Amino acid sequence: MNMFAERLREILKEKNLSQENLARKLDTTQPTVQRWTAGKQEPSFDTLVKICLELNTDPNDLLGFDEIRLMGK
């Protein structure tokens, strides 16, 4: 499972947002968000920035860089 998909699912759950809610906020479709959360597709860089802004989250957290650093130590 890719880290982005896992973190996106976790953050949506933490913020009590559905895939459909996020899709509406990003002007995309729920199936697109579902592919992201399933790890079957990743958003473009521009969309990634929009996701971070909508979810009020740091890109490092969303991409799992903090966890990767911890595992490497």
Side-chain angles (χ1 to χ4, degrees):
M1 174 64 52
N2 81 38
M3 190 67 68
F4 168 76
E6 187 175 323
R7 287 297 301 138
L8 181 58
R9 283 195 320 274
E10 290 172 2
I11 293 168
L12 287 174
K13 186 175 181 178
E14 288 169 9
K15 296 188 180 283
N16 199 29
L17 278 174
S18 68
Q19 293 176 3
E20 189 168 330
N21 292 133
L22 182 61
R24 273 196 299 263
K25 290 175 183 262
L26 298 174
D27 196 29
T28 191
T29 65
Q30 183 276 330
T32 297
V33 176
Q34 191 279 329
R35 286 191 295 275
W36 296 338
T37 60
K40 294 180 180 180
Q41 182 180 345
E42 293 182 354
S44 68
F45 178 79
D46 290 342
T47 302
L48 180 64
V49 171
K50 290 178 186 177
I51 292 168
C52 289
L53 292 172
E54 283 299 329
L55 298 179
N56 193 29
T57 192
D58 184 277
N60 288 323
D61 184 36
L62 184 60
L63 296 172
F65 289 144
D66 293 332
E67 289 185 36
I68 292 170
R69 271 191 232 124
L70 290 175
M71 292 182 340
K73 288 187 176 183

